[in-house]
Amino acid sequence: MTRLAEDRRGRVPFALLGVLLLVGASTYAATVTTQGPSRIDRDAAVAMERASAGTTAALRSAVGEAARAAAAEPVTAPAETPFGRLLSDDRPFRDALRLRIYLTLRERLRATRYRRGSVRAVAALPGATTPSELRRAMDRVRVAGVENGTALRVTVRNLTVTVRDGERIVAREHRTRTVTVSTPVLALHDRATAFERRLNRSPLEGSGLGRRLTARLYPVAWARGYAQYGGAPIANVVANRHVETTTNGALLETQRAVFGRSDPEGREAMRRAALELGVEDLTAATPIGSDRATRVVPRPNARVDPSSALPTRRGTSAPSPNHRIDVDVAPLAGRSLTGLRTTSIRSNRSLDGVTRAAYRVEARLLTRSRRTYHEPRPEPDPPGDGWELANTTVTTDDEVEATVAEPPTPAANERRFDSFSRLVVLDHRVRWTWQRGNDTRVSSGGWRERYRVGVTLVGEYAPDGPAPDRPTGPLFERGGALGGPNLAGVPEKAVTTLVDRQGGRDAVAAAVAADALEVTERPVYGDRPSDLRSWTDRDLRGLRNRLSNVTVGVRAGAVATYTTNPPGRLAATLRQRRGALIDPPGRYRGAADRARVAARAALVDETIRRLDRRAARHAETRRAFDEVLGRVGIDSPRALRRTLETRTTPVPTQRAGIDGTPPGGNVSPVPDGSPAYLTVTSVSHERARGVPPDRPYRPLSAKNVNLFTAPYGDAADAVSGAASDGSSAVRLRTAARTLVASDGVNGSVDGRASLGNAVSTSLDGLRERARDVVADETRLTRTAAEAAVAEGFARWEDPGRRGLAAANGSLARAIAVAADRRAEGRDPDRRDRLETRLAAAFAEDLRSPSTSVAQERVESVVERVRGRVLGRASDVATKRLYRKRLNETVGAVPAGLPVAPVPGYWYATVNVWDVEVRGAYARFTLRTDRGAPAPGGATRYVRDGSVVRLDVDGDGSRERLGRDERVDFETGTVVAVAVPPYRTGVGDVDGNADERSGTWPEPKCTSWEASACPRSE
């Protein structure tokens, strides 16, 4: 093998290379160790850290400034502009706050710079001028409330810090900064929102303005309603001045519930308004005037007594919806007794029919027949071929002779009245008629039968009627409770009815043998004692008194809302107590005793039947009542009842501030409304700084509608359908009361004479009916009966008062006294019987259209009375003098809806007011010292309806973002009042059933509308 020569050209020895590497590394290490990091790197690091720290301070400052600005001009409704659409509809306030934080922080960062030598550090946010850029910018900012909204935690993402050395960028970082700032802006906004939400709640939607208004207005309405019923000169039970004052009281209570305190100036204004309202109601001489705001609303910054507080409702005995009404049976018990006395005896519901039924005996013939001899009956034999039988006639002759035999034996529960036995021979003759063509032949035959017949006439005591079954004794002999006949004459009547009227004993025996006895049983009624009627009358009067004391207690509120049916409850109560009321003995002492108990049972049952009819009519009236409520937007009486039952006036827990204790203490917002008291009259800038100068502002509008106004006869007929002919007519009582009310006016009233004639005509029918009743009950001559009726009518001088006497029972009592004095003989029960019958007759006639009066005549007189009283007033002062006179006059006119509107029997009169309120504060401020920029300052959250503008694109002009809507509300309630029956009822009788105050309902500059009076810019 040949070794190749080694080529060493251009090569460096390996040892030399290693030496060079070792020397170079040593030299570099020595250089680095000697010099360290560069100056630029060290300055860049310091500038980056200092600038980053400055961004935190800038963000904290920007959040505080943006929060105060957002509170001063809170956006609650976005504008329909490109920049307004940056804010969402459901969270405009928070979105506007994020936008303000971004813009304020961007501005703050421009001053956040740090320089070290030639190195400069700058923090910045991206510029944004278009809506899309601003939307992305807002996405960088997140806000969240902490400590229940009393502090704000803000996070800003992608905040850029850039370090430059001259024009060269040395370093750049994107950082996220989070700070927590003690500012209550979210708490203030959320509380204001919660306050407004509560203001717009209905009475059934929880504890809000609607429920508090209900709680405050109900006592006013019930107190005034009962005062009107008692005769106080009140023509307008629920006026808008009451709605205004109670609404403001409810507003202050809602403030305390939400914020922990109420507006001090509002409390002072409420105190003045309550005093003025009290004076108005007591004197009935100072109506609401245009200067009410001047008298009630305090001047801004006026000294307020720190001890003044919301007026409290002290304990009072004034009626309320919880007031118990005792509904009794008295009127119907008396009518039931009269009905039993006057109904025909053929009716098992008459008193005579019931007592007669207690003397009923079921008489029956028990028969026995045994054939002792008989011959066969011959068969027909035709006279020849072709003859056909055309007719067969059988006649029977009987021979009857007495015999000795055992008649049938009565059952254990039957009494033997008579018995006899007979031997009966029956001779039967038969004739056959034959026919062939035109020829006729007759053939005959006969046969004989003998029978032994026994007959027993028995009777079983079988009383009919409502008396409970009990043993009765003695029977069929004189004695018993009254010592009367006690069915002693029944056997003779039974013999007459079942034996003598069928031909006697022999004829009955022959009929039994021939199986041809037609009548085998008949009811027979015994003779009743002559004093049975008076005895049962006395007993029934005592029972009537017991029935009259049967009552059921119902809440007045349930009556007022038609959600209880007292007649139905009374009927159920009587059914439960029927046995105790009838009180039957364990054994009747003869038929008379049973007749007495049967009469008692009949009275109880008749009263129950009448109550059932009243309950059915009540249910019908309620269905129509539903329709009336539906026309004003009320679902049903149940909804009305729930409004009443859920009304509360919660005593707010006095708190130091909003829940949550952030560093530095509690937040205690102080509400400040402008106007402090919302009136239906105009408020000027002088009284409310939130109202622009020269722009009068009406902060409240109210509407209340009285559903059943004067006269209530037409309302009752319209609701219950009581007018049988469908005509527009009112009852005699209503027409008479209107006629009496017109007496309070000096001078003549057009139409009064016509109304008086109509009332007199209606009374003529009652006069004739009374004469017939008196003649029938007392057996007076026609002339004497007419004289008694005339004496009774003469107790009242004019037709109006006579009509009222006829309706309330006084006329029946007066006629009964006069007739009893003229009647012969002494009868201690006659006057009571006569009064009861007269009252029942009058009640029946008063339901008839013949006693009604045309509605037009009544309304015409009412309107002219009002016009005459007010027409005498030439100026405001004179009107005040006449207002009380007006109330006294038209206050006598009836109003309201009688519950179960039957003349002579109802247990309450009700009326309903549908109330609506709309309002807005011209400016509503929440003030707190938390989050203030300097000690002693305050953070203010202001809602005044102004337009919110902000320069978002940096062009120097402010763009419209939206509006900070006024704190406004719309709510209402329904008030129902029930008073006892008769008198004038309850309701507004001043002719203003639909009362509207303020600018209802048109929105304009002086209205409640939030955008009506924008703040000057």
Side-chain angles (χ1 to χ4, degrees):
M1 174 178 298
T2 302
R3 180 181 297 275
L4 296 176
E6 184 177 4
D7 187 3
R8 298 179 178 274
R9 292 174 298 177
R11 294 193 177 183
V12 178
F14 177 78
L16 180 58
L17 181 61
V19 171
L20 291 174
L21 290 174
L22 179 62
V23 173
S26 300
T27 303
Y28 178 76
T31 302
V32 171
T33 303
T34 302
Q35 291 185 350
S38 69
R39 179 186 56 80
I40 294 176
D41 291 338
R42 291 196 305 272
D43 291 347
V46 173
M48 177 71 70
E49 292 305 319
R50 297 291 176 86
S52 296
T55 59
T56 301
L59 177 58
R60 187 181 299 278
S61 174
V63 170
E65 181 180 342
R68 289 188 295 273
E73 292 185 311
V75 180
T76 58
E80 286 297 325
T81 63
F83 294 104
R85 296 188 188 97
L86 292 171
L87 313 182
S88 62
D89 292 332
D90 56 342
R91 294 165 56 93
F93 178 79
R94 281 170 166 77
D95 289 346
L97 177 60
R98 289 163 56 211
L99 180 59
R100 285 182 183 275
I101 290 174
Y102 183 86
L103 296 175
T104 305
L105 178 59
R106 190 178 65 182
E107 193 68 26
R108 286 282 189 276
L109 291 178
R110 291 176 181 173
T112 305
R113 299 172 179 272
Y114 184 80
R115 177 184 294 273
R116 181 162 177 165
S118 63
V119 176
R120 291 177 297 110
V122 177
L125 288 173
T129 57
T130 66
S132 60
E133 292 173 341
L134 286 168
R135 189 176 301 279
R136 288 193 297 270
M138 290 171 59
D139 291 339
R140 295 170 177 263
V141 181
R142 292 181 181 177
V143 297
V146 295
E147 298 290 344
N148 289 325
T150 60
L152 193 62
R153 179 172 295 159
V154 178
T155 299
V156 179
R157 296 183 296 106
N158 296 331
L159 190 149
T160 303
V161 180
T162 304
V163 179
R164 296 175 181 269
D165 183 10
E167 297 301 324
R168 182 173 63 91
I169 296 177
V170 176
R172 174 175 290 169
E173 292 184 2
H174 299 289
R175 297 192 176 186
T176 297
R177 286 288 179 264
T178 299
V179 296
T180 299
V181 179
S182 178
T183 175
V185 59
L186 290 184
L188 295 176
H189 175 71
D190 290 345
R191 290 290 171 167
T193 302
F195 176 60
E196 189 171 22
R197 189 164 52 245
R198 289 199 185 191
L199 294 186
N200 285 278
R201 284 180 181 172
S202 73
L204 300 179
E205 292 179 336
S207 180
L209 181 62
R211 183 172 295 183
R212 295 174 188 275
L213 171 62
T214 304
R216 283 180 163 269
L217 193 56
Y218 258 89
V220 174
W222 281 75
R224 288 178 59 79
Y226 266 76
Q228 183 192 57
Y229 169 79
I234 295 176
N236 196 350
V237 175
V238 178
N240 275 349
R241 67 179 184 273
H242 305 109
V243 176
E244 175 192 295
T245 305
T246 53
T247 298
N248 277 274
L251 284 168
L252 293 174
E253 286 182 345
T254 307
Q255 288 180 13
R256 295 188 65 179
V258 175
F259 306 119
R261 62 181 66 189
S262 58
D263 183 356
E265 291 187 6
R267 293 198 302 271
E268 173 65 15
M270 182 65 195
R271 184 185 66 80
R272 297 182 186 180
L275 290 175
E276 177 166 320
L277 181 66
V279 172
E280 290 178 11
D281 285 348
L282 287 175
T283 63
T286 310
I288 289 181
S290 59
D291 59 343
R292 181 175 177 84
T294 304
R295 299 192 305 272
V296 172
V297 181
R299 293 181 181 274
N301 303 321
R303 291 190 59 184
V304 179
D305 182 2
S307 63
S308 64
L310 285 172
T312 57
R313 292 184 297 278
R314 302 181 182 274
T316 175
S317 59
S320 72
N322 294 326
H323 174 67
R324 174 189 170 104
I325 295 178
D326 290 325
V327 184
D328 58 55
V329 190
L332 286 188
R335 291 190 187 176
S336 298
L337 181 56
T338 301
L340 290 177
R341 289 169 173 169
T342 57
T343 305
S344 170
I345 192 174
R346 294 187 179 88
S347 171
N348 58 4
R349 289 167 52 187
S350 70
L351 183 57
D352 286 338
V354 168
T355 56
R356 180 172 178 262
Y359 285 80
R360 182 179 182 273
V361 175
E362 192 67 37
R364 184 166 70 254
L365 291 174
L366 305 180
T367 62
R368 179 185 299 158
S369 176
R370 183 171 62 86
R371 190 168 63 179
T372 60
Y373 170 80
H374 75 282
E375 296 176 351
R377 176 173 177 163
E379 297 294 330
D381 185 16
D385 295 337
W387 292 93
E388 295 181 357
L389 184 62
N391 189 30
T392 301
T393 303
V394 178
T395 61
T396 300
D397 296 328
D398 58 70
E399 296 178 7
V400 181
E401 61 181 56
T403 185
V404 177
E406 185 66 29
T409 302
N413 58 337
E414 295 176 332
R415 180 70 61 93
R416 186 193 300 268
F417 293 159
D418 191 16
S419 62
F420 53 90
S421 300
R422 294 291 186 270
L423 179 62
V424 180
V425 178
L426 300 179
D427 286 322
H428 305 287
R429 300 295 298 173
V430 60
R431 287 170 54 88
W432 296 288
T433 301
W434 305 89
Q435 189 171 10
R436 185 178 66 182
N438 294 328
D439 297 332
T440 301
R441 288 188 181 183
V442 177
S443 60
S444 63
W447 74 99
R448 171 173 286 190
E449 295 177 316
R450 292 191 182 93
Y451 292 87
R452 286 189 178 275
V453 176
V455 178
T456 301
L457 175 60
V458 300
E460 179 184 1
Y461 183 49
D464 195 8
D469 289 335
R470 296 286 192 278
T472 305
L475 291 173
F476 305 109
E477 61 185 42
R478 295 190 66 85
L482 294 177
N486 197 37
L487 308 181
V490 167
E492 294 181 4
K493 290 185 177 183
V495 170
T496 301
T497 300
L498 291 180
V499 178
D500 295 346
R501 290 180 182 174
Q502 296 192 91
R505 295 183 173 188
D506 291 349
V508 169
V512 170
D515 195 20
L517 187 62
E518 294 181 356
V519 181
T520 60
E521 60 182 33
R522 277 284 190 271
V524 179
Y525 294 89
D527 294 332
R528 287 168 285 170
S530 59
D531 54 351
L532 177 64
R533 176 68 180 268
S534 59
W535 184 54
T536 55
D537 276 351
R538 287 193 298 272
D539 187 64
L540 290 178
R541 283 196 296 274
L543 177 59
R544 180 196 61 189
N545 294 335
R546 286 191 62 190
L547 287 173
S548 299
N549 292 328
V550 175
T551 63
V552 293
V554 294
R555 296 294 183 186
V559 172
T561 55
Y562 252 87
T563 51
T564 187
N565 193 328
R569 292 181 55 188
L570 282 172
T573 300
L574 291 188
R575 286 189 176 94
Q576 293 174 356
R577 300 175 57 181
R578 183 178 184 274
L581 290 168
I582 295 173
D583 192 22
R587 179 182 179 86
Y588 294 120
R589 295 184 299 121
D593 198 21
R594 181 166 187 130
R596 176 188 65 85
V597 175
R600 294 173 67 87
L603 177 57
V604 173
D605 292 345
E606 178 65 16
T607 305
I608 291 175
R609 276 191 291 270
R610 288 176 180 259
L611 285 170
D612 286 339
R613 290 199 297 270
R614 296 295 185 269
R617 173 169 287 187
H618 187 282
E620 294 176 0
T621 306
R622 175 184 167 174
R623 285 192 289 271
F625 189 67
D626 285 356
E627 297 178 2
V628 176
L629 295 181
R631 290 198 289 269
V632 295
I634 306 169
D635 294 340
S636 67
R638 292 292 178 190
L640 185 59
R641 176 71 182 275
R642 288 197 304 272
T643 300
L644 183 152
E645 290 178 340
T646 57
R647 77 192 194 285
T648 55
T649 309
V651 178
T653 302
Q654 183 65 43
R655 301 171 300 176
I658 298 175
D659 294 335
T661 307
N666 291 328
V667 175
S668 302
V670 179
D672 179 10
S674 180
Y677 179 94
L678 306 187
T679 67
V680 295
T681 57
S682 178
V683 180
S684 66
H685 176 73
E686 181 185 9
R687 292 286 167 177
R689 295 304 188 198
V691 176
D694 303 326
R695 290 190 182 181
Y697 181 79
R698 292 179 184 265
L700 188 70
S701 291
K703 171 187 174 184
N704 84 84
V705 180
N706 186 203
L707 298 191
F708 305 105
T709 54
Y712 61 57
D714 57 337
D717 291 342
V719 174
S720 67
S724 58
D725 59 355
S727 61
S728 297
V730 297
R731 302 192 190 281
L732 176 61
R733 179 185 60 250
T734 301
R737 187 169 291 281
T738 304
L739 193 60
V740 171
S742 65
D743 287 343
V745 180
N746 294 329
S748 62
V749 176
D750 293 341
R752 187 178 186 278
S754 176
L755 180 60
N757 292 335
V759 172
S760 297
T761 301
S762 298
L763 289 171
D764 289 342
L766 297 181
R767 189 187 297 268
E768 294 179 6
R769 183 70 178 271
R771 180 189 58 206
D772 295 340
V773 171
V774 170
D776 179 62
E777 187 70 29
T778 62
R779 302 186 183 278
L780 289 173
T781 65
R782 188 177 185 85
T783 302
E786 288 180 349
V789 173
E791 180 181 342
F793 269 73
R795 287 194 57 186
W796 293 272
E797 297 179 355
D798 59 90
R801 289 176 173 77
R802 285 183 193 139
L804 292 178
N808 63 27
S810 301
L811 181 59
R813 188 177 306 111
I815 296 174
V817 171
D820 182 64
R821 192 163 47 243
R822 285 173 169 77
E824 297 180 357
R826 292 183 56 82
D827 184 352
D829 302 326
R830 182 169 52 209
R831 180 185 301 177
D832 181 74
R833 291 197 310 270
L834 184 56
E835 181 181 345
T836 303
R837 285 197 59 184
L838 284 168
F842 287 169
E844 181 180 353
D845 283 357
L846 289 174
R847 289 194 296 268
S848 170
S850 62
T851 59
S852 299
V853 177
Q855 177 180 333
E856 292 77 7
R857 291 182 177 178
V858 177
E859 292 183 343
S860 174
V861 170
V862 171
E863 292 301 324
R864 285 167 179 164
V865 167
R866 294 182 184 127
R868 178 171 293 278
V869 173
L870 289 178
R872 293 177 177 272
S874 58
D875 54 32
V876 175
T878 310
K879 285 184 179 180
R880 292 178 179 177
L881 294 176
Y882 274 91
R883 184 180 174 198
K884 184 174 182 180
R885 182 64 170 174
L886 171 67
N887 284 350
E888 291 174 345
T889 301
V890 283
V893 178
L897 173 67
V899 180
V902 180
Y905 178 69
W906 77 86
Y907 41 86
T909 301
V910 305
N911 218 322
V912 179
W913 285 262
D914 179 39
V915 177
E916 296 180 62
V917 290
R918 299 177 180 179
Y921 290 97
R923 183 176 65 201
F924 187 82
T925 304
L926 291 177
R927 185 179 66 255
T928 178
D929 58 1
R930 295 293 301 150
T939 298
R940 297 177 183 271
Y941 176 90
V942 183
R943 297 270 295 275
D944 61 1
S946 61
V947 175
V948 179
R949 298 179 181 274
L950 183 65
D951 183 7
V952 295
D953 57 3
D955 63 355
S957 63
R958 297 186 301 165
E959 285 74 34
R960 187 158 57 96
L961 288 184
R963 176 180 295 277
D964 66 76
E965 298 168 301
R966 288 195 177 104
V967 174
D968 62 358
F969 58 88
E970 180 177 355
T971 188
T973 187
V974 183
V975 178
V977 177
V979 298
Y982 305 109
R983 295 193 182 178
T984 60
V986 61
D988 297 342
V989 295
D990 61 350
N992 191 14
D994 187 344
E995 184 180 358
R996 306 183 183 203
S997 299
T999 57
W1000 189 281
E1002 296 295 332
K1004 47 189 175 181
C1005 186
T1006 57
S1007 78
W1008 62 274
E1009 189 71 18
S1011 61
C1013 297
R1015 187 178 64 179
S1016 301
E1017 299 186 37

